[in-house]
């Protein structure tokens, strides 16, 4: 795939994009630091609590989110026709919503362990971090559906970039919480 | 415990899987993260050329967390 052309983007677009990107990354950095500090302070409880998570389902969800990011990149191509942009945008949103459904399936099996005293701090942080990420997936997924109705390229490029950043946050969160 | 050669081999293989697979998976996911940042976000989406300093900071973000996660996983204690 060819890189996107710079000519259509204005300085205002760039500024807004960077603000969006860095506000996301800063918010998640704070949460990740909180998680790291707590996982060092309560290492045993965190290690045992983590055994109740579903790394297989989370791995599958990683593939779903990456496939969704790929569709977002296809939608942002300069050469894409309006029809193929619409299809890619709807596939991006659809895969994003599949991610959300699978995450709720995962939550259902994990929820019962959250009330145990020794696991409480782990699951509070776990639900806060993954829930905040999930809220982003839902919101930007809905925006993809809205943009698919009138697929203007500048909007697609902005949304696709934010979507890739949301992917990136998951790609750091997944090893931090499930594999680390 | 099964002390036959087959049993021992299976036991060693299971132990290797249990110990090495999470680390391999960790390295693969972190490598994927760095690739995604450079190839998709910075190059394909074109963020690298517009604000080089912010782009460099964006490239450093996953590198920093990858280093911390790897250190935490591999260092004892």
């Amino acid at each position: 795939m060819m890189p996107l052309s710079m000519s259509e983007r204005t300085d205002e677009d760039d500024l807004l994009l960077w603000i969006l990107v860095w506000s996301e990354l800063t918010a998640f950095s704070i949460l990740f630091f909180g998680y790291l500090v707590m996982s060092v302070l309560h290492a045993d409880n965190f290690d045992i609590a983590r055994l109740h998570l579903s790394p297989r389902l989370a791995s599958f969800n990683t593939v779903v989110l990456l496939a969704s990011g790929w569709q977002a990149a296809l939608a942002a191509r300069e050469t894409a026709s309006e029809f193929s942009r619409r299809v890619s945008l709807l596939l991006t949103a659809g895969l994003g919503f599949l991610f959300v459904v699978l995450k709720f399936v995962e939550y259902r099996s994990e929820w019962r362990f959250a009330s145990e005293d020794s696991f409480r701090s782990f699951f509070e942080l776990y639900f806060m971090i993954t829930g905040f990420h999930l809220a982003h997936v839902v919101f930007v997924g809905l925006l993809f559906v809205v943009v698919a109705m009138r697929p203007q390229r500048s909007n697609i490029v902005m949304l696709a970039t934010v979507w890739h950043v949301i992917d990136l946050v998951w790609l750091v969160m997944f090893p931090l919480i499930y594999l680390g | 415990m099964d002390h036959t050669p087959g049993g021992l081999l299976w036991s060693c293989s299971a132990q290797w899987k249990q110990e090495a697979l999470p680390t391999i998976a960790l390295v693969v996911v972190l490598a994927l993260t760095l690739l995604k940042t450079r190839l998709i976000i910075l190059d394909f989406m074109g963020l690298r050329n517009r604000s080089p300093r912010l782009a460099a900071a964006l490239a450093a973000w996953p590198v920093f967390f990858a280093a911390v996660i790897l250190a935490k996983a591999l260092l004892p204690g």
Side-chain angles (χ1 to χ4, degrees):
Chain A
M1 280 190 289
M2 291 292 290
L4 301 175
S5 142
M6 303 288 100
S7 54
E8 295 171 46
R9 291 222 300 253
T10 62
D11 285 346
E12 289 78 20
D13 286 346
D14 273 356
L15 181 65
L16 178 61
L17 192 59
W18 280 118
I19 289 172
L20 277 172
V21 166
W22 275 107
S23 58
E24 294 293 314
L25 294 181
T26 307
F28 278 102
S29 298
I30 292 166
L31 289 170
F32 290 167
F33 272 119
Y35 179 87
L36 278 165
V37 169
M38 291 298 282
S39 71
V40 170
L41 292 177
H42 305 280
D44 291 344
N45 288 346
F46 270 54
D47 285 346
I48 297 168
R50 212 170 26 212
L51 295 175
H52 298 300
L53 301 181
S54 316
R56 281 188 188 173
L57 200 53
S59 304
F60 183 69
N61 244 349
T62 305
V63 176
V64 169
L65 208 56
L66 284 175
S68 171
W70 176 55
Q71 286 301 320
L74 289 180
R77 282 179 311 165
E78 258 183 297
T79 51
S81 67
E82 190 171 314
F83 176 74
S84 66
R85 268 185 198 159
R86 278 207 171 113
V87 171
S88 293
L89 288 170
L90 291 175
L91 278 172
T92 306
L95 287 165
F97 296 141
L98 176 62
F99 176 92
V100 174
V101 169
L102 291 174
K103 197 72 201 142
F104 275 111
V105 170
E106 198 188 329
Y107 279 163
R108 216 175 56 166
S109 65
E110 291 157 357
W111 190 252
R112 61 201 151 112
F113 300 109
S115 55
E116 289 183 31
D117 279 345
S118 52
F119 301 153
R120 192 165 287 160
S121 56
F122 171 83
F123 277 103
E124 275 175 5
L125 275 169
Y126 168 76
F127 285 120
M128 191 192 298
I129 295 172
T130 57
F132 189 48
H133 178 263
L134 206 60
H136 281 81
V137 175
V138 171
F139 181 67
V140 182
L142 288 173
L143 287 181
F144 270 114
V145 175
V146 173
V147 170
M149 290 174 199
R150 282 189 64 189
Q152 227 179 10
R153 195 157 171 280
S154 56
N155 292 337
I156 297 173
V157 170
M158 188 163 291
L159 266 190
T161 307
V162 173
W163 195 250
H164 288 307
V165 171
I166 293 172
D167 269 14
L168 179 67
V169 167
W170 174 260
L171 283 174
V172 170
M173 186 194 304
F174 173 58
L176 176 72
I177 293 178
Y178 292 88
L179 307 173
Chain B
M1 181 160 172
D2 186 357
H3 289 288
T4 62
L8 285 173
L9 191 67
W10 185 87
S11 164
C12 281
S13 146
Q15 191 184 355
W16 183 85
K17 273 186 185 170
Q18 200 176 13
E19 287 171 4
L21 269 185
T23 310
I24 293 169
L26 186 70
V27 172
V28 168
V29 174
L30 292 176
L32 203 65
T33 309
L34 305 185
L35 267 179
K36 170 136 187 143
T37 310
R38 298 187 76 85
L39 297 181
I40 305 292
I41 301 178
L42 293 178
D43 292 334
F44 179 70
M45 299 310 294
L47 290 188
R48 189 189 297 277
N49 304 322
R50 283 298 179 109
S51 298
R53 270 186 237 164
L54 285 172
L58 176 58
W61 189 84
V63 172
F64 172 77
F65 278 105
V68 173
I69 293 165
L70 268 179
K72 189 172 167 287
L74 298 178
L75 293 178

